[in-house]
Amino acid sequence: MTTQRTMALFVTLALGTMLAGCGGSGSGGNNNQQPPPPPPPPPPVTGGLDVRPDNVSCVAPARAAVGTVGVEDAFPGLPRISAPTKLLVEPVADPRWFVLRKSGQLVVFDPDTATSLSTFIDLSGRVRTNSEGGLLGMAFHPDYPGVPEVFLYYTIDGPGSVSMRSVISRFILDDVAAPGAGTVEEIIIEIDQFADNHNGGDIAFGADRLLYIGLGDGGGGGDPNETGQDTTNLLGSMLRIDVIGTGAGYDIPGSNPFAAQPRCGPTRINGNDCPEIYAWGLRNPWRWSFDPPTGDLWLGDVGQGSWEEIDLIELGGNYGWDCREGAHDFETSGCSGPFIDPVAEYNHGNGDVSITGGYVYRGASIVGLQGRYVFGDFASGRIWALQPDGGGGYATEELVSSGTNPSSFGVDQDGEIYFTDYGGGRILRLVQTGGGADLVPEQLSASGCVDPGDITQPYSGLVPYAINAPFWSDGAQKDRYIGLPNGTTISIDALDDWVFPPGTVIVKNFRLAGRLIETRHLMRHPDGVWAGYTYEWNAAETEATRVRNGKVVNIDGQDWIYPDEAECLRCHTAVAGVALGPETAQMNRDFTYPQTGRSDNQLVTYDAVSMFASPLPADPATLPAMPDPADGNASLDERARAYLHTNCAQCHQPGGPTPVNLDLRYTTALANTNACDVAPTSDDLGINMARIIAPGDAARSLLVARMGLRDVNAMPPLGSTVVDAAGVMLVTDWINALANCN
C-alpha cells in the first residue's frame, strides 16, 4: 500500500507540473507559473556596416565598340597628287590643306571646292629624291599666320662622299596667300646621312613651342654605323631645338638630356653627346604626331625585318635600336639600356612590313574610336587602332584593309582622320559604315552611380572609403566610393594590391572650396579592361557632363585639369594594380560610415559584409598600415615614404612605364630605391653635383626640384597645375635629415 500511495502521489504531482507547464491550472489555476527564459543577447556589432550595400545600377557597362569602318575619297574632284608624303591643315579659322610631294613641291587647295592645286613652295630643283629622300616634313610657326613662317625638311645631295644631307629650313613668307620671290629661306640645321634611306623626316612644334625633328639611323641595313645607340651624333634620334626668335639659327632647350654639351657639327660627330637630342634609339621614325589634349608624342618606327613598332616618346628615352627591334633582341653586343619598350608592335605577316604613324582620334563621327591611336601599314594598306588590353599594354584592332599605300595621316579641325595614298595620289577619309556603340552615358545623372533624388549624393549601393596617404590633387577635397557588383568579391594579391572584379566602378568626387567640380569613374569593364571617364559639374551642381578629350578650366583663379580619358591609365598603371588607392596598407584605417553612423576599421568592415574573396589573413593591427603624410605623430621617414608611394610609385617601381630605374614604393628600403646618392641619367636641371636624392642636401636633389615645377620637367608630369608646397617641404625635410642611404 505504501508503494502504491507513493506512486499515486508522484503521478499526481507530475501531472500537475505538466499541466502548469502547458498553461493548465487545475480547478483554480497555478499562480506560481515561471516566464520563459529571455532570448540570448545579439552578437556584438562587427564592422561599420550592418550589411553589404545592394548595388544593382553602378556597374561598368561593355566598352565602346567601333563597329565597321571604311574609307572614302575625301576630295573626288581634286587632281591626282603624285607621290604625296605629308598632309597638313592650315592652323586658321577657314583653313586650306597642304600636301607635300616627294619631288619637292608643296601644294595647297581649298577643301570647300577641292578642284585644283596651287604650288605654294617649289624645291624640285634642289631636292634629292633617291630612295626615301625628298620633301618629307613641314610645320607651321606656332604663331602663324601672325608670324608668316613655315618650316620644311628635305634632302639634298651630300658633299663629297656623303650620300645625302637632310636640311631643316625656315621659310619667311612674303605673302601667306601665295609666296613669291620675296620669300626668304634660312637654313637652321643640316645632318649628313650615310645612305639614301632611313631619313625619317617628320617635323612638328610641341605645345612647348619647340621644334621636334625625327631622324632615322642614316641608312643601310642593320644600322651598320651603330648610330642608334650613339648619342655623339644626331642620327637615329628625336631632336628638340628652339627656333623661335633665334634668327637663322637655333638654341638648345635647357631641359634636353645633354643640354650642357657643345652643339654637334655638320657631320654630327664631335665626340660629345649632342645637346640637340631629346630621345634616341630609333631606326626610321616614319610619321609621328602630338596628341594635343595629352601632349603625348606617338611615333611609328619602321622595323628591320621582323617587327614594326609604336612608341610613346619621352624626354631622355632610349628606344633600343639597334640593340633591339621592337621589344626583341637584335644586336646585343655592347648594349646596356635601359630601353623603353614599344607600346605596341606587329610582325611582318600578311604583307605588313612598313609602319606609317598616325594620330589619336579626336573626332565624333566614328563611335568608340575616340581617344585611340590610329595608324597603318604602307605596304599592306591595313589600318588599325590601338585598344587597351587590360594589362597595361595595347592590342591592335584592325579597322579596315584600305587597298592603298598610306604614306601619311592627317586630321581636320574636327579631329577626323584622313590619309594620303602614295600610289593612288588621293586623300582618303576614315568613315563609319555600320554599328558602333558607347554605353558610358554622357550625363552623370544617367550613370546609375548617384542618388536619383539628389545627384550630388552617391547611389546607396556604393561603399564609401578613405585612404591613409591621399594623392595630391591640386588642393581639392575628395570623396571616394566603391561600386562592387552584387555577387562579386575583392581579391588581395601577394603585394597587398586589391584586385577588383569586372563590372567594378571606383567613384571619386572632387570639390574646390566646397563646390563639386568633377566626378571620375574608373571602370573595369566586363571584358576585364580598365578605363577612366570623367564628368564636369555645372556651376549650379545640377548635372555633370562627360569630358571626352580633356580640358582646362579656370575655377576661381585656379586652372583645373579635366583629364583626357586616354590619360587615365597613364597614372593608373597596371603594375600598381590600376585602382591605386584601395590596397591593404592604404585601407587599413578607421572610417565613419554615414549609413550607420558607426566608425570601425575598413578591413574589418569589408570582411564582415563579405566583400573579400577570402577572410582577412590576420588581425588588422598586424597588417600593413601606411601613415598619413600630414600626421605629425608618425616618423618623418614614414611620412615622406608614404607620400612618395602615393604620388610617385605608381610609375616608379619595377616594371613601371618610365625609363628611369627607380623604386619608390613604401616597402622598398631606401638603399634599394636606385635613387639615393644616384646621379641622374639625363637632365640635371643645371644643378651642380645633382643626385636624385642627395642625403642631407635637398638642394642637390632632383626629386625635390621636379616636385616644385609645373612644366615639362615637373613631377607629376601631368594632371596638376599647382605645386604641393606641403609635400615639397615634407620631402625636403626628410632628405635634409638623411645621414646616408641606409
Side-chain angles (χ1 to χ4, degrees), residues 121-206:
I121 293 176
D122 190 351
L123 302 178
S124 56
R126 299 157 52 192
V127 168
R128 177 183 171 99
T129 61
N130 289 33
S131 186
E132 296 171 12
L135 179 57
L136 303 179
M138 177 185 177
F140 293 95
H141 189 285
D143 299 321
Y144 176 96
V147 177
E149 296 179 1
V150 298
F151 298 77
L152 296 178
Y153 176 118
Y154 59 94
T155 57
I156 60 174
D157 287 329
S161 61
V162 175
S163 176
M164 185 175 283
R165 172 169 281 183
S166 294
V167 179
I168 294 91
S169 285
R170 176 202 319 267
F171 287 80
I172 304 172
L173 309 175
D174 61 355
D175 185 349
V176 170
T183 293
V184 176
E185 177 183 7
E186 295 179 345
I187 294 176
I188 294 172
I189 189 171
E190 297 178 293
I191 304 102
D192 289 344
Q193 308 276 355
F194 300 110
D196 293 342
N197 59 344
H198 301 183
N199 300 292
D202 229 350
I203 59 175
F205 282 94

Side-chain angles (χ1 to χ4, degrees), residues 501-523:
T504 296
V505 182
I506 308 293
V507 178
K508 188 183 294 185
N509 290 331
F510 296 81
R511 288 180 169 85
L512 284 178
R515 171 188 156 196
L516 264 173
I517 58 169
E518 182 180 0
T519 292
R520 295 179 189 172
H521 288 176
L522 183 66
M523 296 183 180

Side-chain angles (χ1 to χ4, degrees), residues 400-738:
V400 62
S401 182
S402 70
T404 67
N405 302 116
S407 55
S408 72
F409 287 84
V411 294
D412 66 12
Q413 289 180 307
D414 297 323
E416 301 299 332
I417 288 187
Y418 300 72
F419 66 94
T420 54
D421 175 14
Y422 186 83
R426 309 304 304 165
I427 298 174
L428 304 172
R429 175 172 50 214
L430 293 184
V431 294
Q432 185 141 38
T433 56
D438 189 349
L439 301 179
V440 176
E442 290 298 306
Q443 304 299 319
L444 183 63
S445 58
S447 68
C449 297
V450 294
D451 182 344
D454 180 359
I455 69 168
T456 66
Q457 298 301 310
Y459 166 57
S460 61
L462 301 182
V463 178
Y465 72 96
I467 59 177
N468 283 320
F471 184 83
W472 169 249
S473 296
D474 285 7
Q477 303 84 45
K478 289 172 282 189
D479 302 314
R480 306 170 181 85
Y481 306 90
I482 296 172
L484 193 66
N486 288 342
T488 66
T489 52
I490 302 166
S491 300
I492 302 177
D493 67 17
L495 297 176
D496 285 324
D497 285 331
W498 289 15
V499 181
F500 290 91
T504 296
V505 182
I506 308 293
V507 178
K508 188 183 294 185
N509 290 331
F510 296 81
R511 288 180 169 85
L512 284 178
R515 171 188 156 196
L516 264 173
I517 58 169
E518 182 180 0
T519 292
R520 295 179 189 172
H521 288 176
L522 183 66
M523 296 183 180
R524 191 171 190 192
H525 290 287
D527 61 0
V529 174
W530 285 96
Y533 308 90
T534 194
Y535 293 85
E536 177 188 9
W537 283 89
N538 61 25
E541 298 182 40
T542 56
E543 185 61 275
T545 303
R546 183 173 164 190
V547 178
R548 292 179 178 272
N549 292 330
K551 63 192 299 187
V552 179
V553 176
N554 190 275
I555 300 175
D556 297 329
Q558 175 178 333
D559 282 342
W560 180 263
I561 298 174
Y562 294 88
D564 178 86
E565 291 177 353
E567 277 187 303
C568 293
L569 298 184
R570 293 276 301 278
C571 288
H572 289 272
T573 61
V575 70
V578 183
L580 303 178
E583 57 178 299
T584 299
Q586 286 274 37
M587 299 288 283
N588 191 359
R589 55 163 290 164
D590 286 351
F591 184 82
T592 301
Y593 292 87
Q595 297 97 318
T596 63
R598 294 198 303 269
S599 181
D600 209 332
N601 183 276
Q602 292 182 128
L603 303 184
V604 170
T605 299
Y606 291 10
D607 192 36
V609 298
S610 302
M611 289 177 62
F612 291 133
S614 301
L616 286 177
D619 188 299
T622 66
L623 295 176
M626 206 174 293
D628 183 344
D631 181 4
N633 293 320
S635 74
L636 179 60
D637 180 75
E638 290 175 331
R639 293 164 55 209
R641 293 303 307 275
Y643 182 92
L644 295 177
H645 178 96
T646 299
N647 290 277
C648 308
Q650 65 268 32
C651 292
H652 290 301
Q653 63 173 284
T658 72
V660 183
N661 184 27
L662 297 180
D663 186 357
L664 296 180
R665 292 176 296 176
Y666 180 74
T667 54
T668 301
L670 179 60
N672 297 330
T673 60
N674 300 318
C676 190
D677 206 24
V678 174
T681 57
S682 56
D683 189 9
D684 61 10
L685 300 184
I687 298 173
N688 185 41
M689 298 181 63
R691 296 293 185 267
I692 299 174
I693 294 175
D697 193 350
R700 290 196 297 116
S701 300
L702 275 179
L703 186 65
V704 172
R706 291 188 185 276
M707 287 175 61
L709 298 174
R710 285 299 178 268
D711 57 17
V712 294
N713 299 300
M715 285 295 167
L718 73 166
S720 175
T721 66
V722 179
V723 171
D724 181 5
V728 172
M729 182 59 67
L730 170 64
V731 176
T732 297
D733 291 345
W734 169 62
I735 292 177
N736 284 335
L738 291 174

Side-chain angles (χ1 to χ4, degrees), residues 16-384:
T17 302
M18 290 174 63
L19 290 171
C22 294
S25 59
S27 60
N30 184 357
N31 294 326
N32 295 319
Q33 178 182 356
Q34 299 295 317
V45 174
T46 301
L49 294 172
D50 295 323
V51 295
R52 173 172 162 175
D54 181 28
N55 178 16
V56 297
S57 66
C58 190
V59 178
R63 280 193 295 167
V66 175
T68 57
V69 174
V71 298
E72 65 179 20
D73 192 332
F75 307 105
L78 198 67
R80 183 178 178 272
I81 305 171
S82 176
T85 57
K86 182 71 176 175
L87 174 68
L88 299 97
V89 174
E90 191 177 21
V92 297
D94 186 16
R96 296 170 294 176
W97 289 48
F98 288 69
V99 184
L100 278 63
R101 294 185 57 215
K102 177 180 169 69
S103 55
Q105 295 90 14
L106 170 59
V107 297
V108 62
F109 67 92
D110 182 347
D112 295 330
T113 55
T115 56
S116 62
L117 296 166
S118 300
T119 299
F120 194 78
I121 293 176
D122 190 351
L123 302 178
S124 56
R126 299 157 52 192
V127 168
R128 177 183 171 99
T129 61
N130 289 33
S131 186
E132 296 171 12
L135 179 57
L136 303 179
M138 177 185 177
F140 293 95
H141 189 285
D143 299 321
Y144 176 96
V147 177
E149 296 179 1
V150 298
F151 298 77
L152 296 178
Y153 176 118
Y154 59 94
T155 57
I156 60 174
D157 287 329
S161 61
V162 175
S163 176
M164 185 175 283
R165 172 169 281 183
S166 294
V167 179
I168 294 91
S169 285
R170 176 202 319 267
F171 287 80
I172 304 172
L173 309 175
D174 61 355
D175 185 349
V176 170
T183 293
V184 176
E185 177 183 7
E186 295 179 345
I187 294 176
I188 294 172
I189 189 171
E190 297 178 293
I191 304 102
D192 289 344
Q193 308 276 355
F194 300 110
D196 293 342
N197 59 344
H198 301 183
N199 300 292
D202 229 350
I203 59 175
F205 282 94
D208 53 12
R209 297 171 60 85
L210 300 174
L211 183 64
Y212 291 70
I213 304 165
L215 291 172
D217 63 11
D223 193 12
N225 291 286
E226 303 296 331
T227 62
Q229 292 299 306
D230 182 3
T231 52
T232 66
N233 70 78
L234 298 175
L235 297 171
S237 301
M238 179 67 69
L239 312 185
R240 184 178 68 166
I241 58 177
D242 186 356
V243 298
I244 305 299
T246 59
Y250 64 92
D251 292 331
I252 300 296
S255 57
N256 277 10
F258 314 114
Q261 298 295 326
R263 299 183 190 187
C264 288
T267 60
R268 310 307 152 204
I269 302 175
N270 280 356
N272 58 264
D273 292 320
C274 294
E276 297 90 345
I277 290 177
Y278 179 82
W280 64 96
L282 303 174
R283 183 177 181 272
N284 189 30
W286 185 253
R287 302 299 168 242
W288 46 268
S289 64
F290 288 101
D291 177 29
T294 65
D296 290 339
L297 199 173
W298 291 85
L299 179 145
D301 198 12
V302 180
Q304 173 68 32
S306 300
W307 296 95
E308 306 296 303
E309 69 181 272
I310 299 162
D311 298 305
L312 272 173
I313 302 299
E314 300 175 5
L315 176 66
N318 181 351
Y319 292 84
W321 178 252
D322 69 342
C323 294
R324 300 196 305 175
E325 181 187 12
H328 310 269
D329 287 345
F330 186 76
E331 293 180 1
T332 59
S333 177
C335 296
S336 58
F339 304 123
I340 298 178
D341 284 336
V343 296
E345 61 181 2
Y346 64 90
N347 61 30
H348 286 192
N350 301 316
D352 305 316
V353 298
S354 183
I355 192 171
T356 297
Y359 285 81
V360 174
Y361 180 70
R362 296 297 179 187
S365 67
I366 304 179
V367 177
L369 196 59
Q370 290 92 348
R372 296 171 59 185
Y373 181 69
V374 176
F375 63 100
D377 189 272
F378 178 81
S380 72
R382 294 203 294 165
I383 296 174
W384 300 272

